[in-house]
Amino acid sequence: MTSSFLKQATEGNKNAILKQQIIRQYIFSGDSSITDLSRAVNLSVPTVTKLIGELIEEGFVHNFGEQGTAGGRRPNIYGLNPYAGYFVGVEIRTDSVVLAVVNFKGQLLADTTVDFLMDNDPHSLDRLCDIIRGFIDGHKIPHDKVLAVGVNISGRVNSQTGYSYSYFFVEEQPLTVLLGERLGCTVYIENDTRAATYGEYMYGDAHSEKTMLYINASWGLGLGMILDGKVFYGKSGFSGEFGHFPLLDNEIICRCGKRGCLETGASGSALHRLFLEKLRSGSVSMLSEKFNKGEEITLKDILDAVLKEDVLAIEILESVGHTLGKAIAGLINMFNPEMIVIGGLLSVAGESLMLPVRTAVNKYSLMLVYKDTQIKLSTLGERAGVIGACLLARSKALGFY
């Protein structure tokens, strides 16, 4: 259904382009009457009426009937037909895969997490597709109604060419082709941080903002950017390598092979390293007994200790948060964003992270610039990425990216 519609739009068909414009308006502004829609898209009421009629016949738009108003004649309200199709989101993590599905209207229908170990073995790709098909079948979604699947992967991803340079890099075929052949539908891939950015933008507190930044503070450190209402990719699709900004003089070798990357002082891996260094030097924590027994201490253990008000864990997190806040101050000075959302694993620490971040931002940012920027914790949490995968798949399938 979407292919013929998009083909006409990409070929410059004026009618198809106007329909695309109407669908975009519904996505970003919700249902409306024909009169309000014509005003929003700057088209005459007769033209919009004709286009809406065609979109209803094609199955994209639904007439939701008369809606109550304060007085006078009640107008019919039109919007996206939720049953026009479905978009599946897949987020690949270190030891699991998160799946979700939204309808054509963008409403989240279901999400789940399945154990899954990602590696570069070709059989791993087959197992991933089995999990995706099982999710689709388990929720009784007709395969011909799945209009696209969006897959999130950490690391360097070029969503335009369909190549992932972190997993399943095969020069002959993009990962999107390898997955598409197995699943029998259109597949898009995306960097996990950019997908989470879009999820926060569309579903979180930043929906009405034109300039929004998303900080993915997890084991690594990523940045997603919404500039003038659109996801910013950069020339080669590799924008947002915030963690590899050469800010620090610590001479620590980053996992990228460079020295002094921001990630070595402002990330989950930095928190983990600094905490273990303190334990080795004799500092005391509620995790000391576990450490002395030679048992593994994970990042989750440290974050749990923060939530239980462990003094050492909070002290190290404050140091990490201060470094992160200093870097965020630089972003504020450069981008003058309306909102910055902090998500990822470290965001579970809540105010224990936000307090040092805000303190550093106050200290290092230009007040004239900073006063118009809100800094918030993610409201979507760990679901931001998979929701973003669904919604980006929809936007790409409809030709908005």
Side-chain angles (χ1 to χ4, degrees):
M1 178 168 59
T2 54
S3 58
S4 59
F5 176 82
L6 280 180
K7 187 171 184 295
Q8 293 176 19
T10 54
E11 290 173 350
N13 182 288
K14 184 179 178 181
N15 211 47
I17 292 171
L18 292 177
K19 290 178 184 177
Q20 207 173 26
Q21 186 180 349
I22 287 172
I23 288 176
R24 182 182 179 87
Q25 179 65 24
Y26 281 139
I27 285 176
F28 287 96
S29 299
D31 305 341
S32 67
S33 66
I34 285 181
T35 301
D36 289 340
L37 179 63
S38 66
R39 193 178 301 118
V41 297
N42 198 28
L43 293 171
S44 69
V45 169
T47 298
V48 171
T49 301
K50 174 179 176 295
L51 293 170
I52 289 295
E54 292 176 5
L55 284 167
I56 289 174
E57 288 181 9
E58 293 164 4
F60 287 102
V61 171
H62 182 71
N63 181 354
F64 293 102
E66 295 179 347
Q67 303 293 315
T69 60
R73 184 177 177 182
R74 295 182 298 176
N76 277 19
I77 299 299
Y78 299 84
L80 297 181
N81 177 8
Y83 306 107
Y86 302 89
F87 300 92
V88 175
V90 180
E91 180 161 273
I92 300 169
R93 298 180 180 173
T94 305
D95 55 3
S96 63
V97 57
V98 185
L99 304 104
V101 59
V102 301
N103 60 24
F104 195 76
K105 202 175 177 67
Q107 296 163 324
L108 182 65
L109 302 180
D111 64 288
T112 190
T113 302
V114 177
D115 290 339
F116 175 75
L117 186 61
M118 185 66 166
D119 55 41
N120 278 312
D121 184 335
H123 296 298
S124 179
L125 199 61
D126 292 328
R127 287 189 291 111
L128 175 64
C129 291
D130 287 342
I131 290 172
I132 296 170
R133 280 191 291 267
F135 175 76
I136 293 169
D137 292 339
H139 290 86
K140 296 180 171 54
I141 300 168
H143 283 255
D144 62 348
K145 281 283 191 175
V146 177
L147 303 182
V149 174
V151 179
N152 297 345
I153 304 175
S154 63
R156 291 169 180 80
V157 173
N158 190 321
S159 61
Q160 303 299 316
T161 63
Y163 280 99
S164 164
Y165 297 90
S166 301
Y167 296 97
F168 301 110
F169 176 56
V170 181
E171 291 189 16
E172 293 78 13
Q173 285 186 306
L175 181 56
T176 49
V177 172
L178 297 175
L179 289 170
E181 288 176 347
R182 287 167 169 79
L183 295 174
C185 66
T186 301
V187 175
Y188 303 99
I189 62 169
E190 188 56 84
N191 169 268
D192 56 349
T193 297
R194 271 197 295 268
T197 303
Y198 199 68
E200 288 288 348
Y201 178 61
M202 296 296 292
Y203 252 59
D205 291 335
H207 184 55
S208 62
E209 313 297 351
K210 285 294 184 183
T211 305
M212 168 251 181
L213 306 179
Y214 174 81
I215 309 291
N216 185 0
S218 295
W219 185 257
L221 186 65
L223 170 68
M225 294 167 275
I226 300 288
L227 303 181
D228 196 24
K230 296 201 72 174
V231 177
F232 180 75
Y233 285 91
K235 172 64 176 177
S236 305
F238 300 137
S239 68
E241 293 290 349
F242 186 42
H244 303 294
F245 189 86
L247 182 71
L248 308 177
D249 293 324
N250 57 22
E251 287 301 303
I252 295 173
I253 299 176
C254 179
R255 57 179 174 159
C256 71
K258 307 294 184 181
R259 294 179 185 269
C261 289
L262 175 62
E263 187 172 295
T264 63
S267 65
S269 58
L271 176 64
H272 187 262
R273 187 194 75 249
L274 291 168
F275 186 82
L276 292 183
E277 286 175 359
K278 284 288 187 179
L279 289 182
R280 291 189 192 102
S281 69
S283 295
V284 179
S285 160
M286 64 173 59
L287 294 172
S288 293
E289 184 178 351
K290 187 174 184 179
F291 175 77
N292 293 332
K293 288 180 179 178
E295 297 177 12
E296 181 187 6
I297 293 178
T298 65
L299 177 58
K300 183 180 183 302
D301 291 333
I302 300 170
L303 291 171
D304 286 344
V306 169
L307 297 177
K308 293 174 182 175
E309 300 184 355
D310 181 79
V311 174
L312 180 62
I314 291 173
E315 177 187 307
I316 302 300
L317 183 65
E318 285 178 349
S319 173
V320 168
H322 181 84
T323 303
L324 178 60
K326 185 176 182 179
I328 289 174
L331 292 176
I332 291 172
N333 293 344
M334 282 190 288
F335 290 100
N336 189 201
E338 294 160 283
M339 184 177 291
I340 293 177
V341 177
I342 298 178
L345 290 174
L346 296 192
S347 67
V348 302
E351 283 304 308
S352 295
L353 173 67
M354 294 301 287
L355 183 60
V357 165
R358 290 194 180 103
T359 299
V361 167
N362 280 327
K363 181 177 180 180
Y364 294 107
S365 66
L366 298 172
M367 188 52 63
L368 190 64
V369 182
Y370 169 52
K371 68 181 181 65
D372 292 324
T373 299
Q374 297 182 69
I375 302 178
K376 294 189 173 185
L377 283 171
S378 166
T379 56
L380 298 181
E382 293 190 354
R383 295 200 304 173
V386 74
I387 290 173
C390 294
L391 299 178
L392 262 179
R394 180 180 66 168
S395 287
K396 290 176 180 179
L398 294 171
F400 302 142
Y401 283 99

